[in-house]
Amino acid sequence: MEDILLTLAVPAVVIASGIYTLCACRRQRRNPPSPYTRQAARTAALDVTVRAETVVSGAYAALGRLYTDPATAHPARSAPVVTGRRRDPSRPTPAPRP
């Protein structure tokens, strides 16, 4: 008798789970959940920010020694020295001689 109950229990469980899945699918189609709530947007934005910070930190740790300190990177620059004579913009430039 126990063998018959065990044999019938397996199809009963399969049928019951199929009926439950069918009802769950119908219920979900009738009342779909909101796909993108404000909380989900905040969580996604925070996740992206954390990933970006991780990438930047890793890149700086690997390549930071290639860059100098920003305070000493640009010493006081002097004005560029221009040599040669000034040309009048209204006069054409003479052609080179062969």
Side-chain angles (χ1 to χ4, degrees), residues 35-80:
Y36 205 69
T37 60
R38 289 183 184 177
Q39 180 64 33
R42 283 192 294 262
T43 304
L46 182 62
D47 186 41
V48 168
T49 303
V50 168
R51 286 184 184 182
E53 287 176 355
T54 304
V55 168
V56 170
S57 297
Y60 185 76
L63 303 172
R65 59 188 155 96
L66 298 176
Y67 300 101
T68 59
D69 185 23
T72 61
H74 303 290
R77 296 181 182 176
S78 60

Side-chain angles (χ1 to χ4, degrees), residues 25 31 34 42 55 63 75 83 88 98:
C25 288
N31 302 321
S34 178
R42 283 192 294 262
V55 168
L63 303 172
T83 58
D88 185 14

Side-chain angles (χ1 to χ4, degrees), residues 8-23:
L8 294 177
V10 172
V13 169
V14 170
I15 291 172
S17 64
I19 292 172
Y20 176 79
T21 305
L22 180 68
C23 292

